[in-house]
Amino acid sequence: PEALSGDTTSGGVSRLDQVLAHKPAIVILELGGNDGLRGIPVEKTRANLDEMLTKLKASGAKVLLAGIM
């Protein structure tokens, strides 16, 4: 799966099983900026990121969480 312009953390959560099906060794997770632009509550963004990080770590993948300022 590839990155989607304009994607949000909710979209990332919904596609995570597709990513995990590929059994990635390394994942760069960079989502959340569009959540802020769309006015999604920070708590929801954080919960989505936490859910993705938990599942990715459980899969054994090494995860790099990247952000924007």
Coordinates of all heavy atoms in Angstrom, one line a residue:
P1 N 0.8 -1.2 0.0 CA 0.0 0.0 0.0 C 0.9 1.3 0.0 O 1.9 1.3 0.6 CB -0.8 -0.1 1.3 CG -0.8 -1.6 1.7 CD 0.5 -2.1 1.1
E2 N 0.4 2.2 -0.7 CA 1.2 3.5 -0.8 C 0.5 4.6 0.0 O -0.7 4.5 0.4 CB 1.3 3.9 -2.2 CG 0.0 4.1 -2.9 CD 0.2 4.4 -4.4 OE1 0.8 3.5 -5.1 OE2 -0.3 5.4 -4.9
A3 N 1.2 5.7 0.2 CA 0.7 6.8 0.9 C -0.4 7.5 0.1 O -0.4 7.5 -1.2 CB 1.8 7.8 1.2
L4 N -1.4 8.1 0.8 CA -2.5 8.8 0.1 C -2.5 10.2 0.5 O -2.5 10.5 1.7 CB -3.8 8.1 0.5 CG -4.0 6.7 0.1 CD1 -5.4 6.2 0.6 CD2 -4.0 6.5 -1.4
S5 N -2.4 11.1 -0.4 CA -2.4 12.5 -0.1 C -3.7 12.9 0.5 O -4.8 12.5 0.1 CB -2.2 13.3 -1.4 OG -2.3 14.7 -1.2
G6 N -3.6 13.7 1.6 CA -4.9 14.1 2.3 C -5.4 13.1 3.3 O -6.4 13.3 3.9
D7 N -4.6 12.0 3.5 CA -5.1 10.9 4.4 C -5.1 11.4 5.9 O -4.3 12.3 6.2 CB -4.3 9.7 4.2 CG -4.9 8.4 4.7 OD1 -6.2 8.5 4.9 OD2 -4.3 7.4 4.8
T8 N -5.9 10.8 6.7 CA -6.0 11.0 8.1 C -5.6 9.8 8.9 O -5.5 8.7 8.3 CB -7.4 11.5 8.5 OG1 -8.3 10.4 8.3 CG2 -7.8 12.7 7.7
T9 N -5.5 9.9 10.2 CA -5.2 8.8 11.0 C -6.4 7.7 11.0 O -6.1 6.5 11.0 CB -4.9 9.2 12.5 OG1 -6.1 9.9 13.0 CG2 -3.7 10.0 12.6
S10 N -7.6 8.2 10.8 CA -8.7 7.2 10.7 C -8.5 6.3 9.4 O -8.8 5.1 9.5 CB -10.0 8.0 10.6 OG -10.3 8.6 11.8
G11 N -8.1 6.9 8.3 CA -7.8 6.2 7.1 C -6.7 5.2 7.3 O -6.7 4.1 6.8
G12 N -5.7 5.6 8.1 CA -4.6 4.7 8.4 C -5.0 3.5 9.2 O -4.6 2.4 8.9
V13 N -5.9 3.7 10.2 CA -6.4 2.6 11.0 C -7.2 1.7 10.1 O -7.1 0.5 10.2 CB -7.3 3.2 12.1 CG1 -8.1 2.0 12.8 CG2 -6.5 3.9 13.2
S14 N -8.0 2.2 9.2 CA -8.8 1.4 8.3 C -8.0 0.5 7.3 O -8.5 -0.5 6.9 CB -9.9 2.2 7.6 OG -9.3 3.0 6.6
R15 N -6.8 1.0 7.0 CA -6.0 0.2 6.0 C -4.9 -0.6 6.7 O -4.1 -1.3 6.0 CB -5.4 1.2 5.0 CG -6.3 1.7 4.0 CD -5.6 2.4 2.9 NE -4.5 3.2 3.3 CZ -4.6 4.4 3.8 NH1 -5.7 5.0 4.0 NH2 -3.5 5.1 4.2
L16 N -4.8 -0.5 8.0 CA -3.7 -1.2 8.7 C -3.6 -2.7 8.5 O -2.5 -3.2 8.3 CB -3.7 -0.9 10.2 CG -2.5 -1.3 11.0 CD1 -1.2 -0.6 10.4 CD2 -2.7 -0.9 12.5
D17 N -4.7 -3.4 8.4 CA -4.6 -4.8 8.2 C -4.0 -5.1 6.8 O -3.3 -6.1 6.7 CB -6.0 -5.4 8.3 CG -6.5 -5.5 9.8 OD1 -5.6 -5.4 10.7 OD2 -7.7 -5.6 10.0
Q18 N -4.3 -4.3 5.8 CA -3.7 -4.5 4.5 C -2.2 -4.3 4.6 O -1.5 -5.1 3.9 CB -4.2 -3.4 3.5 CG -5.7 -3.6 3.1 CD -6.1 -2.4 2.2 OE1 -5.9 -1.3 2.5 NE2 -6.6 -2.8 1.0
V19 N -1.7 -3.4 5.3 CA -0.3 -3.2 5.5 C 0.3 -4.4 6.2 O 1.3 -4.9 5.8 CB 0.0 -1.9 6.3 CG1 1.5 -1.8 6.6 CG2 -0.4 -0.7 5.5
L20 N -0.3 -4.8 7.3 CA 0.2 -5.9 8.1 C 0.2 -7.2 7.3 O 1.1 -8.1 7.5 CB -0.5 -6.1 9.4 CG -0.4 -4.9 10.4 CD1 -1.3 -5.1 11.6 CD2 1.1 -4.8 10.8
A21 N -0.6 -7.4 6.3 CA -0.7 -8.6 5.5 C 0.6 -8.8 4.7 O 1.0 -9.9 4.3 CB -1.9 -8.5 4.5
H22 N 1.3 -7.7 4.5 CA 2.6 -7.7 3.7 C 3.8 -8.1 4.7 O 4.9 -8.2 4.2 CB 2.9 -6.4 3.0 CG 2.0 -6.1 1.9 ND1 2.1 -6.6 0.7 CD2 0.8 -5.4 1.9 CE1 1.1 -6.2 -0.1 NE2 0.3 -5.4 0.6
K23 N 3.5 -8.2 6.0 CA 4.5 -8.5 7.0 C 5.8 -7.6 6.9 O 6.9 -8.1 6.7 CB 4.9 -10.0 6.9 CG 3.8 -10.9 7.1 CD 4.2 -12.4 7.1 CE 3.1 -13.4 7.1 NZ 2.1 -13.5 8.0
P24 N 5.5 -6.3 7.0 CA 6.7 -5.4 6.9 C 7.7 -5.5 8.0 O 7.3 -5.8 9.2 CB 6.0 -4.0 6.9 CG 4.8 -4.2 7.7 CD 4.3 -5.6 7.3
A25 N 8.9 -5.4 7.7 CA 10.0 -5.4 8.8 C 10.1 -4.0 9.4 O 10.4 -3.8 10.6 CB 11.3 -5.8 8.2
I26 N 9.9 -3.0 8.6 CA 10.0 -1.6 9.0 C 8.8 -0.8 8.4 O 8.5 -0.9 7.3 CB 11.3 -0.9 8.5 CG1 12.5 -1.7 9.0 CG2 11.4 0.5 8.8 CD1 13.8 -1.3 8.3
V27 N 8.3 0.1 9.3 CA 7.1 0.9 8.9 C 7.5 2.4 9.3 O 7.8 2.6 10.4 CB 5.8 0.5 9.5 CG1 4.7 1.5 9.2 CG2 5.5 -0.9 9.1
I28 N 7.3 3.3 8.4 CA 7.4 4.7 8.7 C 6.0 5.2 8.8 O 5.2 5.2 7.8 CB 8.2 5.5 7.7 CG1 9.6 4.9 7.6 CG2 8.2 7.0 8.0 CD1 10.5 5.5 6.4
L29 N 5.5 5.7 9.9 CA 4.2 6.1 10.2 C 4.2 7.6 10.3 O 4.8 8.2 11.2 CB 3.6 5.5 11.4 CG 2.2 5.8 11.8 CD1 1.2 5.4 10.7 CD2 1.8 5.1 13.1
E30 N 3.6 8.3 9.3 CA 3.6 9.8 9.3 C 2.2 10.2 8.9 O 1.9 10.4 7.8 CB 4.6 10.3 8.3 CG 4.9 11.8 8.4 CD 4.1 12.6 7.5 OE1 3.8 12.2 6.4 OE2 3.7 13.7 8.0
L31 N 1.3 10.3 9.9 CA 0.0 10.7 9.8 C -0.4 11.7 10.9 O 0.2 11.6 12.0 CB -1.0 9.5 9.8 CG -1.0 8.6 8.6 CD1 -1.8 7.3 9.0 CD2 -1.6 9.2 7.4
G32 N -1.4 12.5 10.7 CA -1.9 13.4 11.8 C -2.0 14.8 11.3 O -2.8 15.6 11.9
G33 N -1.1 15.2 10.4 CA -1.2 16.6 9.9 C -2.5 17.0 9.3 O -3.1 18.1 9.6
N34 N -3.1 16.1 8.5 CA -4.4 16.4 7.9 C -5.5 16.3 9.0 O -6.5 17.0 8.8 CB -4.7 15.4 6.8 CG -3.8 15.7 5.6 OD1 -3.6 16.9 5.2 ND2 -3.2 14.7 5.0
D35 N -5.3 15.6 10.0 CA -6.3 15.6 11.1 C -6.4 17.0 11.7 O -7.5 17.5 11.9 CB -5.9 14.6 12.2 CG -6.0 13.1 11.8 OD1 -5.5 12.8 10.7 OD2 -6.5 12.3 12.6
G36 N -5.3 17.6 11.9 CA -5.2 19.0 12.4 C -5.9 19.9 11.5 O -6.7 20.8 11.9
L37 N -5.6 19.8 10.2 CA -6.2 20.7 9.2 C -7.7 20.6 9.1 O -8.4 21.5 8.8 CB -5.6 20.5 7.8 CG -4.1 20.9 7.7 CD1 -3.6 20.4 6.3 CD2 -3.9 22.4 7.9
R38 N -8.2 19.4 9.4 CA -9.6 19.1 9.3 C -10.4 19.3 10.7 O -11.6 19.1 10.8 CB -9.9 17.7 8.8 CG -9.4 17.5 7.4 CD -9.7 16.2 6.9 NE -9.1 16.0 5.6 CZ -9.2 14.9 4.9 NH1 -9.9 13.9 5.3 NH2 -8.7 14.8 3.7
G39 N -9.6 19.7 11.7 CA -10.2 20.0 13.0 C -10.6 18.8 13.8 O -11.5 18.8 14.7
I40 N -10.0 17.6 13.5 CA -10.3 16.4 14.2 C -9.7 16.6 15.6 O -8.5 17.0 15.7 CB -9.7 15.2 13.5 CG1 -10.4 15.0 12.1 CG2 -9.8 13.9 14.3 CD1 -9.8 14.0 11.2
P41 N -10.4 16.3 16.7 CA -9.9 16.4 18.0 C -8.6 15.7 18.2 O -8.4 14.6 17.8 CB -11.0 15.8 18.9 CG -12.2 15.9 18.1 CD -11.8 15.7 16.7
V42 N -7.6 16.3 18.9 CA -6.3 15.8 19.2 C -6.5 14.4 19.9 O -5.7 13.5 19.6 CB -5.5 16.7 20.0 CG1 -4.2 16.1 20.5 CG2 -5.2 18.0 19.3
E43 N -7.4 14.3 20.7 CA -7.6 13.0 21.4 C -7.9 11.8 20.5 O -7.4 10.7 20.7 CB -8.8 13.1 22.5 CG -8.5 14.1 23.6 CD -8.8 15.5 23.2 OE1 -9.4 15.8 22.1 OE2 -8.3 16.4 23.9
K44 N -8.7 12.1 19.4 CA -9.0 11.1 18.4 C -7.8 10.7 17.6 O -7.5 9.6 17.3 CB -10.1 11.6 17.5 CG -10.6 10.6 16.5 CD -11.1 9.3 17.0 CE -11.6 8.4 15.9 NZ -11.8 7.0 16.4
T45 N -7.0 11.8 17.2 CA -5.8 11.5 16.5 C -4.8 10.7 17.3 O -4.2 9.7 16.8 CB -5.1 12.9 16.1 OG1 -6.0 13.6 15.3 CG2 -3.8 12.7 15.3
R46 N -4.7 11.0 18.6 CA -3.7 10.3 19.4 C -4.2 8.9 19.6 O -3.4 7.9 19.5 CB -3.7 11.0 20.8 CG -2.6 10.3 21.7 CD -2.5 11.0 23.1 NE -2.3 12.5 22.9 CZ -1.1 13.0 22.8 NH1 0.0 12.3 22.8 NH2 -1.0 14.3 22.8
A47 N -5.5 8.7 19.8 CA -6.0 7.3 19.9 C -5.8 6.5 18.7 O -5.4 5.3 18.8 CB -7.5 7.3 20.3
N48 N -6.0 7.1 17.5 CA -5.7 6.4 16.2 C -4.2 6.0 16.1 O -3.9 4.9 15.7 CB -6.2 7.2 15.0 CG -7.7 7.3 14.9 OD1 -8.4 6.4 15.4 ND2 -8.1 8.3 14.2
L49 N -3.4 6.9 16.4 CA -1.9 6.7 16.4 C -1.5 5.6 17.4 O -0.8 4.7 17.0 CB -1.1 7.9 16.6 CG -1.2 9.0 15.5 CD1 -0.5 10.3 16.0 CD2 -0.5 8.5 14.3
D50 N -2.1 5.6 18.6 CA -1.8 4.6 19.6 C -2.3 3.2 19.1 O -1.5 2.2 19.3 CB -2.5 4.9 20.9 CG -1.8 6.0 21.7 OD1 -0.7 6.4 21.4 OD2 -2.5 6.6 22.6
E51 N -3.4 3.2 18.5 CA -3.9 1.9 18.0 C -3.0 1.3 16.9 O -2.7 0.1 16.9 CB -5.3 2.1 17.4 CG -5.9 0.8 16.9 CD -7.3 0.9 16.3 OE1 -8.0 2.0 16.6 OE2 -7.8 0.0 15.7
M52 N -2.6 2.2 16.0 CA -1.7 1.7 14.9 C -0.4 1.3 15.4 O 0.2 0.3 15.0 CB -1.5 2.8 13.8 CG -2.8 3.0 13.0 SD -2.5 4.2 11.6 CE -2.7 5.8 12.6
L53 N 0.2 2.1 16.3 CA 1.5 1.8 16.9 C 1.5 0.4 17.7 O 2.4 -0.4 17.6 CB 2.0 2.9 17.8 CG 2.4 4.2 17.1 CD1 2.6 5.3 18.2 CD2 3.7 3.9 16.3
T54 N 0.4 0.2 18.4 CA 0.2 -1.0 19.2 C 0.2 -2.2 18.2 O 0.9 -3.2 18.5 CB -1.0 -1.0 20.0 OG1 -0.9 0.1 21.0 CG2 -1.2 -2.3 20.8
K55 N -0.6 -2.2 17.2 CA -0.7 -3.3 16.2 C 0.6 -3.5 15.5 O 1.0 -4.6 15.2 CB -1.9 -3.0 15.3 CG -3.2 -3.2 15.9 CD -4.3 -3.0 14.9 CE -5.7 -3.3 15.5 NZ -6.8 -3.2 14.6
L56 N 1.2 -2.4 15.1 CA 2.5 -2.5 14.3 C 3.6 -3.2 15.2 O 4.3 -4.1 14.8 CB 3.0 -1.2 13.8 CG 2.1 -0.6 12.7 CD1 2.4 0.9 12.5 CD2 2.4 -1.4 11.4
K57 N 3.7 -2.7 16.4 CA 4.7 -3.3 17.3 C 4.4 -4.8 17.6 O 5.3 -5.6 17.6 CB 4.7 -2.5 18.7 CG 5.4 -1.2 18.5 CD 5.4 -0.4 19.9 CE 5.8 1.0 19.8 NZ 5.8 1.7 21.1
A58 N 3.1 -5.1 17.8 CA 2.7 -6.5 18.0 C 3.1 -7.4 16.8 O 3.3 -8.6 17.0 CB 1.2 -6.6 18.4
S59 N 3.1 -6.8 15.7 CA 3.4 -7.6 14.5 C 4.9 -7.9 14.4 O 5.4 -8.7 13.5 CB 3.0 -6.9 13.2 OG 3.9 -5.8 12.9
G60 N 5.7 -7.2 15.2 CA 7.2 -7.4 15.1 C 7.9 -6.4 14.2 O 9.1 -6.4 14.1
A61 N 7.1 -5.5 13.6 CA 7.7 -4.5 12.7 C 8.5 -3.4 13.6 O 8.0 -3.1 14.7 CB 6.7 -3.8 11.9
K62 N 9.6 -2.9 13.1 CA 10.2 -1.8 13.7 C 9.5 -0.5 13.1 O 9.1 -0.5 11.9 CB 11.7 -1.7 13.2 CG 12.5 -2.9 13.6 CD 13.4 -2.6 14.7 CE 14.4 -3.7 14.9 NZ 14.2 -4.4 16.2
V63 N 9.1 0.4 14.0 CA 8.3 1.5 13.6 C 9.0 2.8 13.9 O 9.6 3.1 14.9 CB 7.0 1.5 14.5 CG1 6.1 2.7 14.0 CG2 6.3 0.2 14.3
L64 N 9.0 3.7 12.9 CA 9.5 5.1 13.0 C 8.3 6.0 12.9 O 7.5 6.0 11.9 CB 10.5 5.4 11.9 CG 10.9 6.9 11.8 CD1 11.6 7.3 13.0 CD2 11.7 7.1 10.5
L65 N 8.0 6.7 14.0 CA 6.8 7.6 14.0 C 7.4 9.0 13.6 O 8.2 9.5 14.4 CB 6.2 7.6 15.4 CG 5.0 8.6 15.6 CD1 3.9 8.3 14.6 CD2 4.6 8.6 17.0
A66 N 7.0 9.5 12.5 CA 7.4 10.8 12.0 C 6.3 11.8 12.1 O 5.1 11.5 12.1 CB 7.9 10.7 10.6
G67 N 6.6 13.1 12.3 CA 5.6 14.1 12.4 C 6.0 15.3 11.6 O 7.1 15.4 11.1
I68 N 5.2 16.3 11.7 CA 5.5 17.6 11.0 C 5.3 18.7 12.0 O 4.5 18.5 13.0 CB 4.6 17.8 9.8 CG1 3.1 17.8 10.2 CG2 4.9 16.8 8.7 CD1 2.2 18.2 9.1
M69 N 5.9 19.8 11.8 CA 5.8 20.9 12.7 C 5.1 22.1 12.0 O 5.2 22.2 10.8 CB 7.2 21.3 13.2 CG 7.8 20.3 14.0 SD 9.5 20.7 14.6 CE 9.1 21.9 15.8

